[in-house]
Amino acid sequence: MRNVVSGFQFFLLLVTLTACYQKDLDEFNKAELVYKTEIALPVVSGNLTLQDTIPSPPGTITMRDKQTAEFPQEEVNSTEGKIDELILKVLLTNNFPANGTFQVYITDNADAKIDSLLTPSQGTILAGSSGNPFKNNFEIRITRDRYNNFSRNAKNIVLEYTISTTSGASSFVNNKFTFYIGVRAKLKNPF
Amino acid sequence: MKLKYIFIAVLMVSVARQSVGQHELTLFHMNNVFQGTYVNPTLMPEHKVSLGLPGMSSVYFMLNNSTWRANDFKKKINDDSVIFNLEGAVNKLDNKNYVNTAFSTDLFSLRIKIRNTFASINVTEQVDFRLNYPKDLFKLINQGNAQFVGEAADFSGLRVNSSHYREYALGLARIRDGAKFSYGVRLKLLQGLNNVKTVKSDARISIDEQYYAHTLKASAQVNSSTIANDTTGNEDYVKALTSFDNMGWGLDLGATYHVNHRLSFTGSLVNLGAITWKSNVVNRSIDGEYTFSGIKLDLQNDSIKVDIDAVLDSLKSAFKIKETYNQSYKTSLPPRMYLSMGYMLGRNTKVALTFYNEFYQGMNPAISAAYVQRAGRILNFLFTYTAKKNSFNNVGAGLMLKLIAMQIYMVGDNMLAIANPFNATNFNLRFGINLVFGRIRKPDEQSHNEE
């Protein structure tokens, strides 16, 4: 009989102990995970040098060009709702004795411009020299609305640029144009 | 005189501010259980013979986390809404944090009384795992790396120290009836079986503001001695668990001074020792610095080429990775110190105040108050309260029940953790059944009471 009483007491103790943390267990079971994180990564870098000697130009030469690439629609669509904000951080350095302007814009199916990524000052590159390069460090902020606009309507991404040599520039050899692009993204439940 | 004791107590509380490690502050007062001598070699038993059989006489488990509790990971918004609160848990962390888990079991133990001396032997399997982790690691997991832009994430101090060894101990405790002093010593032969030790661990990632270039600087060394290092295909697991290639020595010391029949002071210094690891040793180290500025695009020749191989090559050449074999190394056991003041309130009732410190990567103190009650021959119980850093709700308990020759016991420092594990930072429990014979009619502690 004593064993039965002890067993019952032990059972009661177990039930009481389980009840104590059952509430915590239940709360963990119904807890919602909202994972927000912000990552910053260097993405690409590159440089442009000229290997051949170019004779000193008699005055200024201006060159304009435009390159078009397909917008990575599939990749952007797959991240819709997960990106709250995107910041592109760009560092450009220019040793060439040449000025330039450039712009990156997005076009839709009808080839109409739907967004330009750069402000005029961001898209300006001034002439530098080997000892004194021109530096332009700026960020492009792409908000959620802007990003959603890309994901719905973008078809192509277009790079348009103009380069003008400066008057009296002696040589283009041993000069370098470098660029670094990093990305900072505010993510919500990315996995 | 009273003022002096109050001062000592206040001092002890004030230093209990950063405590981790394997305290067994309740076991320290279980004088009728042989395993109590593992932390207090001068504990005087009530039986002439105590015998412990494999696997059943002592099973010990502990888990100790220096900061957060499971409940820190959730946050109640209202009655119906609960969210996982990673940020809350991360905010609780210190810059350097610590998890320690350990397991031990007696393979055999025997203690016998020969006149005024208690001689004992025990063979105990010991496993100890310690992980130190920096706060920045969890900040990175929780909030990402953008928070470190223009700064550095510091992963220094990420360490693993883990040991598996077998302890063969010979103990002697001497007491003379009515003597003021009693003392005990345990000499241990340590048989090292597996070990991983982080000797050095410095790592930082700094993130540039201009375009988020990452610079990783790392310098680390890890020594290991384990059968897992044997990649010859001829692994002999039986030999690995019985070989005496990794030898060490250990020592436990203890002394008790009885000021009068009520007041006593006990001190013990246990777990002194070291093991030299010689078999299946691999020493791995890494040193270097590397900056990642993004995937390099090759813009030459009218084409754009992504040069990932260049990244991997420069990463490989930036870090010197060294692996050496069979260079023996030594690991020390973390010594533990107990200083206790006991006061007999009556023939069967004792209260005690105990200060504890483990010397592992600095001081890890704790302070504990105990109430010990002997209830006849068959039942002893005690309660303790222990305070240590970030943990002030440790109510310990110990129970010994003697049924004929079977001494059943269970002891732990934080029994509240059983009822409320989600709010506990630490838990330890030791339980087992010893066989005891030959009751000592006039236990030495009682003889002092009767003075």
Side-chain angles (χ1 to χ4, degrees):
Chain A
M1 186 60 188
R2 192 182 285 176
N3 288 343
V4 174
V5 172
S6 302
F8 182 68
Q9 284 171 339
F10 182 68
F11 175 75
L12 273 183
L13 180 69
L14 267 183
V15 169
T16 313
L17 292 181
T18 312
C20 283
Y21 50 81
Q22 188 60 48
K23 187 172 152 273
D24 285 317
L25 270 179
D26 289 345
E27 284 182 356
F28 268 109
N29 279 338
K30 69 178 182 187
E32 189 192 349
L33 177 65
V34 181
Y35 182 62
K36 284 185 175 178
T37 188
E38 190 173 1
I39 57 161
L41 288 171
V43 183
V44 288
S45 67
N47 62 64
L48 192 67
T49 55
L50 294 180
Q51 288 167 355
D52 300 324
T53 305
I54 297 175
S56 301
T60 61
I61 299 171
T62 299
M63 189 169 77
R64 283 193 181 84
D65 200 2
K66 189 165 118 175
Q67 289 184 4
T68 302
E70 198 176 335
F71 189 82
Q73 193 74 46
E74 211 169 287
E75 286 81 356
V76 170
N77 282 348
S78 68
T79 58
E80 196 177 356
K82 293 177 179 174
I83 294 178
D84 272 347
E85 189 179 55
L86 206 64
I87 295 169
L88 300 176
K89 197 83 191 264
V90 183
L91 174 66
L92 307 172
T93 57
N94 178 33
N95 288 128
F96 285 108
N99 297 312
T101 58
F102 70 107
Q103 179 59 272
V104 179
Y105 56 87
I106 314 292
T107 59
D108 62 11
N109 278 330
D111 225 17
K113 203 183 283 186
I114 59 169
D115 202 341
S116 299
L117 294 188
L118 305 170
T119 64
S121 66
Q122 287 174 343
T124 302
I125 299 166
L126 299 180
S129 63
S130 50
N132 185 25
F134 168 77
K135 274 193 179 183
N136 191 0
N137 190 194
F138 58 90
E139 62 181 40
I140 303 162
R141 198 171 285 265
I142 300 168
T143 58
R144 192 173 189 160
D145 290 342
R146 215 170 160 192
Y147 193 81
N148 288 345
N149 185 29
F150 294 166
S151 85
R152 278 192 295 269
N153 304 315
K155 170 75 178 159
N156 289 316
I157 182 162
V158 182
L159 169 68
E160 196 173 68
Y161 62 90
T162 307
I163 300 170
S164 306
T165 61
T166 53
S167 174
S170 57
S171 171
F172 284 82
V173 182
N174 297 326
N175 288 322
K176 199 157 79 170
F177 173 78
T178 60
F179 66 90
Y180 296 92
I181 301 173
V183 172
R184 185 167 176 159
K186 283 183 186 167
L187 307 173
K188 189 180 170 186
N189 291 336
F191 308 116
Chain B
M1 192 69 171
K2 270 184 186 170
L3 201 66
K4 196 168 102 184
Y5 293 139
I6 292 168
F7 173 72
I8 292 168
V10 169
L11 186 73
M12 285 175 166
V13 171
S14 67
V15 295
R17 55 180 188 80
Q18 191 183 3
S19 185
V20 285
Q22 292 184 39
H23 52 75
E24 283 197 87
L25 282 154
T26 312
L27 180 69
F28 187 85
H29 302 288
M30 286 199 87
N31 65 319
N32 42 19
V33 173
F34 166 67
Q35 283 73 17
T37 62
Y38 295 172
V39 288
N40 182 359
T42 57
L43 279 181
M44 288 303 139
E46 293 184 8
H47 297 90
K48 288 176 183 169
V49 178
S50 173
L51 175 67
L53 297 175
M56 60 182 276
S57 63
S58 175
V59 176
Y60 170 70
F61 169 76
M62 70 85 72
L63 177 66
N64 191 354
N65 187 3
S66 65
T67 44
W68 47 258
R69 308 159 306 155
N71 266 348
D72 293 330
F73 282 90
K74 67 175 163 59
K75 189 177 180 182
K76 208 167 175 177
I77 305 296
N78 54 48
D79 282 349
D80 295 324
S81 178
V82 182
I83 58 163
F84 278 104
N85 182 28
L86 299 177
E87 195 169 346
V90 172
N91 287 341
K92 283 240 169 177
L93 294 176
D94 295 324
N95 285 338
K96 308 281 179 200
N97 305 277
Y98 180 106
V99 175
N100 179 197
T101 184
F103 172 80
S104 82
T105 185
D106 282 359
L107 301 180
F108 177 74
S109 68
L110 175 68
R111 177 174 59 187
I112 50 171
K113 183 175 189 286
I114 308 163
R115 297 194 175 188
N116 291 320
T117 302
F118 290 87
S120 67
I121 54 169
N122 69 278
V123 182
T124 304
E125 202 79 3
Q126 303 269 15
V127 180
D128 183 49
F129 175 83
R130 292 163 192 257
L131 169 71
N132 292 71
Y133 57 94
K135 184 177 188 174
D136 281 359
L137 182 66
F138 280 82
K139 277 172 77 177
L140 177 75
I141 293 166
N142 180 42
Q143 292 157 305
N145 65 345
Q147 64 191 303
F148 299 111
V149 170
E151 296 172 22
D154 188 358
F155 303 125
S156 301
L158 180 64
R159 286 163 186 264
V160 172
N161 288 321
S162 176
S163 277
H164 171 204
Y165 62 94
R166 198 167 293 135
E167 166 188 305
Y168 302 84
L170 174 68
L172 289 172
R174 181 145 176 92
I175 184 164
R176 280 184 295 117
D177 207 9
K180 290 263 184 190
F181 254 119
S182 58
Y183 50 89
V185 60
R186 295 176 73 237
L187 185 64
K188 299 185 276 191
L189 169 69
L190 307 174
Q191 179 188 13
L193 301 172
N194 291 288
N195 178 264
V196 177
K197 185 187 180 183
T198 308
V199 181
K200 185 172 66 168
S201 161
D202 292 320
R204 288 167 72 84
I205 297 177
S206 42
I207 305 176
D208 154 75
E209 278 176 303
Q210 290 186 309
Y211 56 96
Y212 313 132
H214 283 46
T215 300
L216 169 65
K217 202 172 175 182
S219 175
Q221 188 187 337
V222 178
N223 294 334
S224 62
S225 167
T226 163
I227 184 78
N229 287 337
D230 187 346
T231 52
T232 58
N234 300 318
E235 298 91 341
D236 187 343
Y237 288 94
V238 175
K239 185 173 176 260
L241 291 172
T242 52
S243 149
F244 280 86
D245 289 343
N246 308 311
M247 288 267 285
W249 294 96
L251 185 68
D252 298 343
L253 298 167
T256 295
Y257 178 67
H258 297 274
V259 179
N260 53 43
H261 69 283
R262 287 190 185 275
L263 184 65
S264 64
F265 290 94
T266 301
S268 69
L269 190 56
V270 299
N271 219 34
L272 297 162
I275 300 173
T276 303
W277 301 89
K278 289 179 178 173
S279 72
N280 290 321
V281 169
V282 179
N283 322 89
R284 295 180 175 89
S285 67
I286 183 167
D287 266 292
E289 185 174 339
Y290 174 71
T291 298
F292 177 59
S293 304
I295 306 281
K296 241 184 194 137
L297 297 183
D298 186 353
L299 302 175
Q300 309 298 332
N301 307 322
D302 291 334
S303 67
I304 297 176
K305 220 170 79 187
V306 176
D307 201 353
I308 290 175
D309 288 343
V311 175
L312 296 176
D313 288 346
S314 52
L315 190 64
K316 231 184 260 178
S317 62
F319 288 98
K320 266 187 247 159
I321 298 171
K322 219 166 93 179
E323 210 167 77
T324 58
Y325 298 90
N326 299 323
Q327 278 188 3
S328 66
Y329 65 96
K330 199 177 238 185
T331 58
S332 299
L333 304 183
R336 294 170 201 138
M337 183 183 72
Y338 295 78
L339 295 173
S340 183
M341 179 175 72
Y343 189 82
M344 297 297 295
L345 293 175
R347 185 184 165 84
N348 293 317
T349 311
K350 182 182 167 185
V351 288
L353 189 66
T354 308
F355 168 73
Y356 162 86
N357 186 47
E358 184 183 74
F359 300 91
Y360 178 76
Q361 295 178 357
M363 302 267 279
N364 302 290
I367 185 161
S368 174
Y371 172 86
V372 186
Q373 182 66 52
R374 189 170 169 272
R377 289 184 198 177
I378 58 161
L379 181 68
N380 276 200
F381 60 86
L382 68 152
F383 297 100
T384 57
Y385 168 75
T386 302
K388 54 183 200 154
K389 192 199 175 191
N390 293 336
S391 181
F392 298 95
N393 58 345
N394 305 297
V395 177
L399 177 77
M400 188 285 297
L401 187 67
K402 186 172 166 283
L403 301 171
I404 314 172
M406 281 200 301
Q407 183 190 58
I408 303 163
Y409 72 95
M410 185 165 84
V411 57
D413 285 340
N414 185 12
M415 291 307 198
L416 295 178
I418 297 175
N420 197 357
F422 292 91
N423 274 320
T425 59
N426 67 91
F427 173 70
N428 65 51
L429 188 71
R430 187 185 286 273
F431 59 91
I433 301 171
N434 292 314
L435 300 175
V436 290
F437 310 101
R439 185 174 147 71
I440 300 166
R441 296 220 166 263
K442 195 180 175 187
D444 300 281
E445 193 171 88
Q446 299 306 318
S447 71
H448 285 286
N449 295 341
E450 288 156 12
E451 273 176 11

